[in-house]
Amino acid sequence: IGQIQPELYQPGEAEARAGAPCGRLSFAVRYAYGSEQLVVRVLRALDLPAKDANGFSDPYVKMYLLPDRKKKFQTKVHRKTLNPVFDETFSFGVPFAELPARRLHFSVYDFDRFSRHDLIGQVVLDNLLEAAERDAETPIWRDILEATAGCPHVPGVSPCPRGCPHVPGRAGASPRVPGRHPRARGPADPYVKASLMAEGRRLKKRKTSIKKNTLNPSYNEALVFDVPHASVHSVSLTIAVLDYD
């Protein structure tokens, strides 16, 4: 555990890339013809980034069979590790004829007991018909692709809003955040999250209230971070615009 074995990696179809790789995810897929179930076994992850101040993460995996996002499964949370071994099996009911049009979406999260969980990255598996006909004992390895700050989407899975860049700020500032037309397919429930960062780790975070059913939110709220003057030049501020779900 903790060392990548290249000989285990299996070449596959090109996958949608949302950002830089941030670890690897291993899983196995097979199709049970009698019960029309797509059986997914989540095996392990390697080299995840540290999201907590202790140098570790508390990872778990959530999965959907797209385009359906109503039914989802989630693994157990593994505490204080960057190389979790999940070894859990889940089943999605899906007719065999629908497999070519479906995609398996994995989201790797860092569990946070007191705030919103951090999205580490995502994996999307296309061509499920081919994957389901593989040897079920042979693991599939994929890069976990980082969701860029403020834009945790995967191309082809969800639209990328124009108004969600990785926005740097000045530490110690109190940003007041007006809303400017977040793109959505319908009304949204937007809010803004500001994170104080240092050396790639989040030290503190603040968020605005949620504005219901609007694409033009007005917040007029101050998000305040206490930063010692000597540390101002060693920290940064990222601002993310999210739709509450």
Side-chain angles (χ1 to χ4, degrees), residues 48-54 56-61 77-82 107-113 115-121 202 205:
L48 297 179
K51 291 292 186 178
D52 300 330
N54 60 11
F56 293 99
S57 293
D58 300 322
Y60 68 93
V61 178
V77 176
H78 288 251
R79 300 287 185 176
K80 297 182 180 180
T81 179
L82 303 181
S107 296
V108 184
Y109 284 89
D110 170 46
F111 176 83
D112 191 329
R113 179 178 298 178
S115 63
R116 197 179 187 92
H117 302 177
D118 290 325
L119 176 61
I120 295 175
R202 185 173 66 191
K205 65 182 177 182

Side-chain angles (χ1 to χ4, degrees), residues 1-240:
I1 298 176
Q3 294 184 352
I4 297 177
Q5 303 177 43
E7 65 272 15
L8 295 180
Y9 297 171
Q10 299 296 320
E13 70 279 6
E15 55 191 88
R17 291 187 172 270
C22 51
R24 301 276 288 179
L25 181 68
S26 173
F27 53 92
V29 179
R30 67 179 177 87
Y31 188 74
Y33 291 89
S35 58
E36 293 192 322
Q37 298 282 322
L38 183 69
V39 182
V40 182
R41 184 181 176 192
V42 183
L43 298 173
R44 61 192 294 193
L46 292 177
D47 300 326
L48 297 179
K51 291 292 186 178
D52 300 330
N54 60 11
F56 293 99
S57 293
D58 300 322
Y60 68 93
V61 178
K62 186 186 297 185
M63 68 205 75
Y64 303 88
L65 187 60
L66 299 176
D68 181 15
R69 297 187 65 89
K70 293 182 179 179
K71 184 173 183 178
K72 62 184 177 182
F73 292 107
Q74 179 178 314
T75 68
K76 296 177 181 178
V77 176
H78 288 251
R79 300 287 185 176
K80 297 182 180 180
T81 179
L82 303 181
N83 300 283
V85 177
F86 301 105
D87 198 16
E88 296 183 48
T89 302
F90 308 91
S91 297
F92 293 93
V94 55
F96 181 76
E98 293 184 11
L99 283 182
R102 309 297 287 271
R103 288 171 293 175
L104 196 57
H105 182 202
F106 301 89
S107 296
V108 184
Y109 284 89
D110 170 46
F111 176 83
D112 191 329
R113 179 178 298 178
F114 302 107
S115 63
R116 197 179 187 92
H117 302 177
D118 290 325
L119 176 61
I120 295 175
Q122 303 168 95
V123 172
V124 177
L125 182 67
D126 297 314
N127 201 348
L128 291 181
L129 185 59
E130 177 182 329
E133 292 178 346
R134 293 166 52 97
D135 179 2
E137 299 302 318
T138 303
I140 299 173
W141 287 88
R142 290 291 183 271
D143 284 338
I144 300 169
L145 302 176
E146 179 184 18
T148 55
C151 186
H153 86 296
V154 170
V157 176
S158 60
C160 178
R162 285 181 179 175
C164 62
H166 186 108
V167 183
R170 293 185 60 187
S174 303
R176 293 184 179 271
V177 188
R180 290 188 61 188
H181 300 284
R183 180 188 296 175
R185 295 177 181 174
D189 302 321
Y191 69 98
V192 176
K193 180 170 67 175
S195 300
L196 188 68
M197 309 291 293
E199 298 180 350
R201 296 182 184 178
R202 185 173 66 191
L203 304 179
K204 300 177 183 178
K205 65 182 177 182
R206 303 284 187 269
K207 61 182 180 180
T208 68
S209 59
I210 299 166
K211 301 301 179 180
K212 296 288 187 178
N213 198 32
T214 179
L215 299 181
N216 298 281
S218 178
Y219 298 101
N220 196 28
E221 300 177 32
L223 307 179
V224 181
F225 295 92
D226 293 325
V227 181
H229 179 74
S231 301
V232 166
H233 298 292
S234 62
V235 297
S236 62
L237 189 67
T238 63
I239 298 176

